[in-house]
Amino acid sequence: MNTSLRSRFWLFMLLLSVALVACTPNRAYHTRAPAPDEPLCVAALPSGCADEVWYRVRAEAEATEEKRQPEQPVYLGFVEFDDQGALHDPSLKDAVINRIDALAQQQSVLMVVFAHGWKHNASADDPNVIDFANVLSRIAYYDEMVCAHRSCAGRQVIGVYLGWRGLSATTEPFKEISFYSRKSRAHRVGTDGAVEVLAQLAKIKAIKRTGQGNDNQLIITGHSFGGALIYSAVQQQLVRDTAFPANGLIPRSSANLIALVNPAFEAARFATLERRARTLEHARNQRPILAVFTSRGDTATKIAFPLGRGLSTSLQQHVSKKQARQNRTALGHYMPFVTHDLDLKQDPAMGDDQTVQMRAFQDIGCDWQNFQFGATHVWRLGELELSRRPHMQQGSQPQNPIYNVSVDAAIIANHNAIWGETFSEFLYRFVAVQTLPAGRECR
């Protein structure tokens, strides 16, 4: 072997060694299911119950006037998938589903599913795990407000965290290079293992207890490639549902609401659903089914995503420039598909450190009903406003259940700033008003 070949060989071996060291293991983080008669682990932070697939979330602080806590207990379960999209351990998934099903047999439940994105996983110290546990308590608090003196009073809030190998490398440049492999893995998990889990949760959503109605709710959320995972799991069902409207209503078979935040998938995957929803005549009491929220300050999906897609699709053939743009542009930044805007209307004189003023939940329900019926095209929540774009104000489009919302960067600053107080407070309200009974518009 000459000197040049020997040098190349050792350089290759060095790079291979660094890559192997930088890789994260393809393993599950939550591997213990408590026995049915065993006291549950209770913790404010997930690290307190690090290997548990099911535990009770304790409020992180005592309730205050500004930060109230729910009266009902809140539970969090974990379901994890490997790089081939399969469940790491089906028996652990069954343990979580059985826990939820048992609760749903006794009382109504609000199930909130979250799929994390790129560079994250299900480890107890992952920021997404910690933030999701905290968010659940706030969702429970708002749900108790909306259910007061109604049949859903006492509804149990349950979180389900879908974990996958979004973080496959720990050092650069391997973390950035993983864009291509992690995107494909997210779609693989979505079309394989996640479909089973979401179908089982949808079945629980449909449970009607003897002598009572059905107040169960299923909210599915995803961020970044987690948004791609969720959309891959529900895409075919969403399109299929548009073919079977009942009295003008598109059924909400997959969930009561699907909310994707800064999702990292191309607009081309959305084209069929967008066309179907745009060309249908919608009933006045049609509820939102899918809501996509993308920050105008999200440079990861606005700039980096199309660069990555440009490379990966460079050898693909497209029938038109429009199709090529759809295949390389992230959904939230493809303007022809954007339907709504979420803007901050704060007085500039108040300064950046001023807390955004939001209207109390009990004051926004009536306005939401009017917005939903098309009596107004702006839903005002204090200094936040959700508005329809002009093409969504025509005919029955105000009732179009597919939202693709462009979000002010003052509300979601960047790709990962999805847990900020302002957007969280909006999302709590947006989710909560979906449970209001469909009645007449308010006066």
Side-chain angles (χ1 to χ4, degrees):
M1 183 181 294
N2 61 40
T3 302
S4 177
L5 287 176
R6 187 180 296 110
S7 298
R8 292 176 184 176
F9 172 78
W10 287 114
L11 177 60
F12 170 77
M13 291 303 294
L14 175 62
L15 292 174
L16 179 61
S17 299
V18 172
L20 291 174
V21 170
C23 284
T24 62
N26 183 18
R27 69 174 183 88
Y29 291 89
H30 300 266
T31 56
R32 182 182 181 279
D37 58 350
E38 179 183 346
L40 287 181
C41 182
V42 181
L45 294 175
S47 57
C49 303
D51 61 348
E52 303 285 320
V53 298
W54 180 263
Y55 80 96
R56 178 177 169 181
V57 179
R58 187 178 68 234
E60 62 176 340
E62 291 299 318
T64 65
E65 188 65 27
E66 293 76 23
K67 192 171 187 179
R68 299 177 181 177
Q69 301 295 349
E71 295 180 4
Q72 286 281 97
V74 176
Y75 298 100
L76 176 56
F78 293 85
V79 179
E80 298 183 69
F81 307 92
D82 64 24
D83 249 14
Q84 299 307 313
L87 291 159
H88 269 295
D89 187 339
S91 68
L92 294 177
K93 180 270 299 179
D94 290 340
V96 172
I97 296 295
N98 289 340
R99 287 276 187 174
I100 300 172
D101 184 68
L103 287 170
Q105 299 296 340
Q106 302 169 18
Q107 63 197 107
S108 58
V109 294
L110 169 57
M111 299 167 285
V112 183
V113 179
F114 175 72
H116 65 81
W118 186 26
K119 301 180 184 178
H120 291 275
N121 54 36
S123 63
D125 59 353
D126 188 284
N128 277 190
V129 175
I130 296 170
D131 288 329
F132 183 55
N134 291 334
V135 161
L136 287 174
S137 293
R138 294 292 285 167
I139 289 175
Y141 169 69
Y142 276 99
D143 195 58
E144 288 179 2
M145 291 179 63
V146 75
C147 285
H149 312 298
R150 291 177 53 203
S151 60
C152 58
R155 183 158 54 192
Q156 179 68 65
V157 172
I158 301 165
V160 179
Y161 188 97
L162 302 185
W164 59 287
R165 195 164 166 250
L167 178 67
S168 61
T170 57
T171 60
E172 299 294 2
F174 303 105
K175 287 176 70 174
E176 298 303 321
I177 293 174
S178 70
F179 170 93
Y180 305 99
S181 67
R182 294 309 89 197
K183 183 179 187 298
S184 69
R185 292 306 88 188
H187 290 298
R188 179 67 179 268
V189 172
T191 54
D192 290 358
V195 173
E196 176 188 0
V197 177
L198 297 183
Q200 289 183 289
L201 294 176
K203 181 179 180 180
I204 293 173
K205 174 177 75 77
I207 290 176
K208 291 185 178 180
R209 289 175 290 134
T210 304
Q212 301 184 45
N214 182 359
D215 288 309
N216 295 332
Q217 296 273 318
L218 174 59
I219 310 297
I220 302 175
T221 64
H223 168 242
S224 185
F225 285 156
L229 184 160
I230 294 298
Y231 188 70
S232 294
V234 301
Q235 178 183 10
Q236 292 187 36
Q237 185 63 55
L238 291 176
V239 174
R240 185 178 185 278
D241 284 345
T242 64
F244 296 94
N247 299 319
L249 285 172
I250 299 174
R252 298 189 291 178
S253 303
S254 298
N256 296 92
L257 180 68
I258 302 165
L260 309 180
V261 186
N262 289 340
F265 64 89
E266 56 275 21
R269 293 179 181 267
F270 191 74
T272 300
L273 180 61
E274 187 276 338
R275 174 173 50 80
R276 291 286 303 167
R278 173 170 40 83
T279 55
L280 289 174
E281 188 72 21
H282 301 287
R284 290 185 74 245
N285 58 338
Q286 174 72 62
R287 302 291 186 93
I289 295 175
L290 171 66
V292 178
F293 300 94
T294 302
S295 170
R296 296 170 204 146
D298 181 6
T299 56
T301 56
K302 187 176 184 179
I303 299 175
F305 183 89
L307 288 175
R309 287 293 295 167
L311 290 174
S312 61
T313 63
S314 59
L315 298 180
Q316 295 181 10
Q317 294 186 354
H318 300 93
V319 298
S320 66
K321 290 183 178 180
K322 182 174 83 170
Q323 187 183 68
R325 285 197 303 273
Q326 290 179 356
N327 201 22
R328 293 165 184 164
T329 306
L331 171 59
H333 298 288
Y334 186 69
M335 290 302 105
F337 287 172
V338 173
T339 61
H340 297 72
D341 292 285
L342 180 61
D343 293 300
L344 179 63
K345 300 298 183 178
Q346 190 180 55
D347 184 348
M350 297 177 68
D352 296 336
D353 59 345
Q354 179 69 37
T355 301
V356 174
Q357 299 301 310
M358 299 280 282
R359 294 172 65 191
F361 174 76
Q362 56 267 30
D363 298 331
I364 63 174
C366 194
D367 287 350
W368 168 258
Q369 296 284 54
N370 289 338
F371 179 77
Q372 178 60 31
F373 285 125
T376 179
H377 297 298
V378 180
W379 184 38
R380 293 183 174 86
L381 302 95
E383 293 174 338
L384 289 190
E385 291 186 357
L386 178 67
S387 60
R388 294 188 181 95
R389 293 205 168 183
H391 68 282
M392 298 301 294
Q393 301 175 17
Q394 309 301 315
S396 68
Q397 284 306 293
Q399 289 78 45
N400 188 327
I402 308 301
Y403 288 39
N404 187 17
V405 185
S406 177
V407 182
D408 192 332
I411 300 172
I412 302 178
N414 53 54
H415 184 65
N416 290 314
I418 64 171
W419 307 101
E421 183 175 353
T422 301
F423 182 68
S424 295
E425 289 291 330
F426 163 80
L427 200 57
Y428 301 145
R429 288 162 171 78
F430 186 76
V431 169
V433 293
Q434 307 310 320
T435 69
L436 291 171
R440 297 180 178 179
E441 62 193 59
C442 301
R443 297 294 181 186

